[in-house]
Amino acid sequence: MLLNTICKRGDLEINIRKRQEKILEFIQEKGELSVNELIDLIPASPATIRRDISFLSEKGLIIRSHGYVHNPDKDSPVLPLKTRTILASHKKEQIAKKASELVKSGMTVVLDSGSTCLAIALAIKDKDITVVTNSIEICSALALSDIKVICTGGIMENKHLCFLGKDADIFIENIEVDIGFIGATGVRVNSGFTTSSPLQYDFKKRLIQASRKQYIVFDSSKFYSANIYMFANYSDEITGVITNNSTDETAIVQLDLMRDNGLDIILSNDL
């Protein structure tokens, strides 16, 4: 009886999280929606949607005003880390599990900043490894673990809670690690993996060069979010890609093209 109660509670929490993820996705896409529009879009009662809106507003993930909800960073191509951590969180956890299977005891691992790499950090926190990162969030997440954590230093990028710039680049240029997980904020169709920042572009290219094996990690929503700076092509010398499974035609076509270019494609079971 107790086990059934715990399972039901767990299912309820997943449903709440997925519903709130969907609300954030709609607001990210549109920039602004009325509460009534959200009620029409989300299969839940008006009272439930309003509770979700209140919760997300209290967390600072959306802004409410006179019957409308707004993306607080509508002028930015990339959302703050705290928002991205919630968006597609279940998919990122599944991607992280797949990534963790590649990490063996004694390895040195480099983790890029971003919500997917943060999920990977949490998935590998009990392993006997060394982690190199520019992410403040990852350093914090691993602070109480037995992992040896090395931070690049550099100029703090407030919105994404990471270090970038010349000092971070020089640090990465002078190391070599067993495996690197590099986040992508977008995928340019038929071409490669993108980011929105020139500083991120420089840093990610160095992460690839510093890693004996390199995996680009992202959830399938990134197939519709190409950014201006392409830091790696499908044909570059990178090991592979880790993302969630998808029935979407664009995702399927692009993953097949990546395979044709010799990339190892690792998919989580999450659709």
Side-chain angles (χ1 to χ4, degrees), residues 86-259:
I86 289 181
L87 280 170
S89 59
H90 182 65
K91 290 182 173 64
K92 292 170 185 177
E93 289 168 4
Q94 297 303 309
I95 292 166
K97 287 180 181 179
K98 286 294 184 181
S100 71
E101 294 170 4
L102 302 173
V103 178
K104 309 302 180 185
S105 179
M107 277 187 168
T108 301
V109 180
V110 70
L111 289 175
D112 196 4
S113 60
S115 54
T116 303
C117 286
L118 175 57
I120 294 172
L122 295 173
I124 63 175
K125 63 183 177 63
D126 295 325
K127 294 180 181 284
D128 179 21
I129 57 174
T130 297
V131 167
V132 181
T133 186
N134 69 326
S135 166
I136 297 169
E137 287 283 289
I138 289 174
C139 289
S140 178
L142 298 179
L144 298 179
S145 74
D146 292 328
I147 288 176
K148 181 179 180 181
V149 180
I150 302 171
C151 188
T152 64
I155 300 171
M156 188 172 77
E157 215 279 355
N158 294 342
K159 183 174 181 180
H160 303 293
L161 296 176
C162 67
F163 295 107
L164 293 169
K166 183 178 179 180
D167 289 335
D169 290 345
I170 290 173
F171 184 94
I172 295 298
E173 284 176 353
N174 286 287
I175 67 168
E176 184 178 56
V177 300
D178 296 302
I179 190 167
F181 298 105
I182 299 98
T185 52
V187 177
R188 189 174 298 167
V189 170
N190 302 332
S191 297
F193 311 99
T194 66
T195 183
S196 61
S197 159
L199 293 178
Q200 291 276 12
Y201 167 86
D202 290 337
F203 189 75
K204 289 175 190 293
K205 289 189 78 69
R206 285 169 173 80
L207 290 183
I208 290 170
Q209 293 164 0
S211 306
R212 297 189 189 99
K213 290 186 176 181
Q214 317 85 358
Y215 286 90
I216 312 299
V217 296
F218 56 91
D219 68 84
S220 58
S221 69
K222 301 304 187 293
F223 286 110
Y224 297 94
S225 181
N227 299 117
I228 189 170
Y229 301 100
M230 188 165 69
F231 64 87
N233 297 313
Y234 292 172
S235 57
D236 283 350
E237 291 187 7
I238 54 179
T239 307
V241 161
I242 309 175
T243 187
N244 60 285
N245 207 344
S246 175
T247 58
D248 181 84
E249 184 177 354
T250 296
I252 292 170
V253 169
Q254 293 306 303
L255 290 170
D256 283 343
L257 185 56
M258 293 175 198
R259 288 189 188 92

Side-chain angles (χ1 to χ4, degrees), residues 12 15-23 26 35-53:
L12 178 61
N15 288 335
I16 292 171
R17 183 173 61 183
K18 287 187 174 182
R19 192 174 62 244
Q20 291 172 353
E21 286 176 8
K22 186 59 67 176
I23 290 172
F26 280 129
V35 174
N36 288 335
E37 285 175 314
L38 275 176
I39 289 171
D40 289 339
L41 289 167
I42 307 291
S45 71
T48 297
I49 299 302
R50 289 191 172 93
R51 280 197 298 272
D52 288 336
I53 289 171

